[in-house]
Amino acid sequence: MRISAPARAEEPLHIVIDQGKVEPLPIALPGFIGKSQAERDTGTNIAKVISDDLERSGLFRALDPRSFIERSMDFDTLPRFNDWRIINTEALVTGQAVIQDDGRLRVEFRLWDVVRNQQLRGKKYYTTPENWRRIAHLVSDEIYTRLTGETGYFDTRVVFVQESGSKIARRKRLAIMDQDGANVSFLTDGFDMALTPRFSPTAQEVTYLSYFNNKPRVYLLNIESGQQEVVGDFPGMTFAPRFSPDGGKIIMSLDTRGNSDIYVMDLRNRRQTRLTEHPAIDTAPSYAPDSRAISFESDRSGRQQLYVMRSDGTDIRRISWGEGRYATPVWSPRGDLIAFTKMLRGRFYIGVMRPDGDPKTERLLTESFLDEGPTWAPNGRVLMFFRQTPNRRDGSGGTVRLWSVDLTGYNLREVPTLGDASDPAWSPLIK
Amino acid sequence: MRFGFFLSVLAHVAIVMAAVVTLPSMFDGAEEFQMLPVEILEIGSETNVRAAALKIAEAPEPEPVKEEEPKFAEAPPPPPPPAMNEPVADDAMPALAKASDPKPKPKKAEKTSVKNTMPRRKPKPPAPQSKDELDLGELQALLDKAPKDEPKPQPQQSDDALDSLDDFLAEDQADLPRRAIGLGDGLTISEVDALRQEMQKCWRPPTGAANPEELIVELRIFLKEDGSLVRAPRIERSGTSTFGKNSFTMAAEEAARRAVVMCAPYDFLPADKYERWKEVTVTFDPASMVGY
């Protein structure tokens, strides 16, 4: 127990601060300096991408460069901290971009705590000049980690389903982009419908569902090489594939004679193991990050609910006890929460709860006509999902877009995509 | 039909009777009500005022480069081009400008300006006690049985009136102005609350952390009489994580220290009670902020 005032005169006054301000941290990001015009342009672009990354996280507020007092900065001298404190910033990022004689780009940055007059971080990177965006994301990750303690998630990519065409002839193809919506490229041609892509947590590989001869099959796709293969040769239809945390297994549901159960397949020896055996529909399995447990959805109680079991299929426990139906449980990479889709009285919600099923820990983060398919950023702090906003009364038409939200429920934002997009899958940090 | 009619009549009579019985007593009650004057004090308007200038320059800060970054006389040769055009990170950074740099160091400038612009405020001497006020000497005499078991104050602390019990018990000093002792000299709840409010205005707690109970930070701060910091806050306790210090605990420590430095000076604290707030321990506990 802590006290607010001293019991004895000799003891120092003791106060407890348990409330703070939930406001973004003000940060100043002057353009990275350079000698040539090309260097200055690159420096300005890098600072802009960093600024956008940090702002999008909801935890930072990039100050307007027009408010800066100190403008001509030398990268190798101390900033004039007073000038930065006056404009109420708490952190400052300085940097420079240099195109070397060998044609490569060198980018250096320093992160300053202008309240305590300290340098917090300093690094430099080398790459080809056209790869400057990646450096900007790496610098964003460094700043984010140093100031929040969380691992960054800016140097990541998102695989999603790009949708186009009419409702009858809908084309769904896999696409990949940086987490900020830049650098979009397509992974499948769109002749066969692609659904539910899931990233490997350890490699640049994606598993997804595609129809072949009108039969859904789980595929494995290497992003770098473009190579893909069918996962296993099952007698029935396979759904909802997802990697194990070590990337060595794929867990999915297999439908035989109208009954769906959870199976796991070892990718090394292609051996498959059945984990659930129940006449109800068991699907959407997701491993805990320590591989010891698996969450899934099942209608064994009469309606869709979330369950957790040991990874060998034993000790099945129901964890969702609120009103409505629950689906698509996804275990956080941090292990502390399970994200899900909830359906209640015709509305859809994205929420999180603790894996022990304590109903008090359930927290709904979003609500709309249709929110679905949550995926975690690799640091377990941000969720991305897709939202359909219909423009007809019957719920059809309109748009399907990707959105992100902080696990605290703040900072709901649309992720920019070219046209309709659904089923996002967040990559691990790029190595 | 007839039964319903009688039932209706009975119900109406009952309502009228109830009104006759209860309404007068309600009015009586209202007449007996006495207004109690309550003085509403807005402590926030007085104590939450931000200082005109920050005084953190007086806190001895280590040279940034020395603490965090290795110094390099010159940039190291670039490594060979990586495969796949991957950027290469390198912690090595060139050193900042040396002390011989012709440019004036900001720290020095800050020191000068602070001394010129922020005169040190002396604490007001406590006013002599009137006879109607509580006689602390008498009170102490009544209470002096309990402290007898305590170790006697050290002679070298005799300049501090709070620690010298004998001085207070001496008759010839009973009527002299003195600094308070015991509970009477403590900060009031409002004053402590004002300090708490000021600090929490500057604190950005680590929200959304998985284990917020591991991010509790306790700082010890030393204040001058004008409410500014004597030196940078000292970390007493932090990072109860079983895995030791990590990026989360480090960020939590810095957020707490930044809050204390940013909100200084705490010039609203009562100067006559300086002895009670010259040293303060502050616990920053983000546990209740996790849901934000």
Side-chain angles (χ1 to χ4, degrees), chain A residues 2 4-26 59 61 72 74-82 85 88-90 96 100 102 104 106 108-110 112-128 130-131 134-135 138 142 145-151 224 334 336 354 363 380-381 406-410 430-431, chain B residues 50 54 56-57 61-65 67-69 75-82 84-97 101 103 105-107 109-110 113 150 163 181-183 187 192 195-197 199-210 216 218 220 237 247-248 250-251 254 257-258 261-262 276-277 279-286 288-292:
Chain A
R2 298 182 296 274
S4 298
R8 291 164 51 101
E10 295 81 9
E11 292 171 2
L13 179 67
H14 183 193
I15 60 173
V16 179
I17 313 284
D18 58 5
Q19 295 292 314
K21 56 178 175 183
V22 188
E23 287 173 13
L25 186 138
L59 302 178
R61 178 168 57 86
S72 55
D74 182 351
F75 181 70
D76 289 328
T77 52
L78 281 170
R80 295 200 303 267
F81 293 115
N82 272 346
R85 278 199 297 271
N88 288 326
T89 188
E90 291 178 32
Q96 69 176 354
Q100 301 185 141
D102 61 3
R104 293 200 304 148
R106 187 178 87 229
E108 300 165 88
F109 85 97
R110 296 183 197 274
W112 303 93
D113 179 341
V114 300
V115 175
R116 298 173 56 224
N117 300 2
Q118 278 192 351
Q119 179 178 310
L120 298 176
R121 205 85 174 131
K123 277 198 174 186
K124 61 181 165 188
Y125 304 86
Y126 299 90
T127 186
T128 52
E130 61 270 20
N131 214 9
R134 178 121 195 255
I135 287 194
L138 287 166
E142 287 290 339
T145 302
R146 192 66 185 79
L147 292 176
T148 68
E150 310 257 7
T151 313
E224 306 294 351
R334 218 157 71 171
D336 59 331
R354 289 213 175 251
R363 216 164 58 224
R381 170 76 202 219
D406 193 86
L407 70 76
T408 55
Y410 284 88
I430 301 170
K431 287 169 184 162
Chain B
R50 269 191 68 92
L54 294 170
I56 59 171
E61 289 286 338
E63 281 290 325
V65 182
E67 186 177 80
E68 283 281 328
E69 299 298 327
M84 307 294 294
N85 292 340
E86 296 293 289
V88 180
D90 191 343
D91 269 320
M93 292 294 291
L96 290 179
D101 196 312
K103 293 184 181 182
K105 281 212 169 188
K107 267 189 178 178
E110 285 164 16
S113 64
E150 300 288 329
D163 297 330
I181 192 168
L183 293 175
L187 296 178
V192 172
L195 183 61
R196 189 188 357 253
Q197 277 190 30
M199 285 187 183
Q200 71 190 26
K201 274 197 309 188
C202 294
W203 182 47
R204 277 193 183 75
T207 55
I216 294 172
E218 187 173 301
R220 182 164 293 221
R237 186 168 63 93
S247 60
F248 286 95
M250 198 193 284
E254 278 166 2
R257 292 170 91 163
R258 221 168 14 241
V261 172
M262 206 156 52
R276 297 301 306 120
W277 53 262
E279 191 180 337
V280 186
T281 56
V282 194
T283 301
F284 290 89
D285 183 355
S288 62
M289 301 291 291
V290 68
Y292 285 86

